[in-house]
Amino acid sequence: MAEDERGVGSEKTADDVVLIRVRGSLDGWSGSGDLSAALTGAVADGCVRTVVDLSGVTFADSAALHSLLGGQREHVKAGVPLVLAGPLHSGVRRLFEVTGTAGAFRFADDVESALQC
């Protein structure tokens, strides 16, 4: 996915880590359904870890949070770590803080750190 594109894209690394890159708004109107599908696909694909790059997300709402929480549940059931990578925009970080869900996720400062966890 090019840097200026919006949406959700995923790739599998040589180490069997699925990297899901999200760009633009992540809400009930755009992106959340694609993110849910990508998270489900990562578990079904037999990955050893999933990294969600949220550094390009400029807005996220409760639909985005619902997708991430659902993906986290699927990953826990499958025994596959899910790592959310930043840096997070202030509004996205605030979504986790205000809802009290930050503790439900593992965070990394950036994609490179998340891939090394």
Side-chain angles (χ1 to χ4, degrees), residues 22-42:
V22 187
R23 299 285 179 257
S25 293
L26 189 55
D27 55 38
W29 296 104
S30 62
S32 291
D34 293 337
L35 176 58
S36 292
L39 289 166
T40 297

Side-chain angles (χ1 to χ4, degrees), residues 4-15:
D4 61 340
E5 286 185 44
R6 297 182 181 273
V8 177
S10 66
E11 63 187 83
K12 193 169 189 178
T13 71
D15 297 330

Side-chain angles (χ1 to χ4, degrees), residues 12-82:
K12 193 169 189 178
T13 71
D15 297 330
D16 287 331
V17 175
V18 171
L19 173 59
I20 300 170
R21 294 188 188 272
V22 187
R23 299 285 179 257
S25 293
L26 189 55
D27 55 38
W29 296 104
S30 62
S32 291
D34 293 337
L35 176 58
S36 292
L39 289 166
T40 297
V43 171
D45 197 23
C47 68
V48 298
R49 178 174 51 255
T50 302
V51 174
V52 180
D53 176 7
L54 296 176
S55 65
V57 175
T58 54
F59 173 79
D61 69 3
S62 61
L65 184 59
H66 179 75
S67 294
L68 289 167
L69 287 168
Q72 175 69 342
R73 280 190 299 274
E74 288 181 58
H75 278 73
V76 167
K77 284 181 192 174
V80 177
L82 173 65

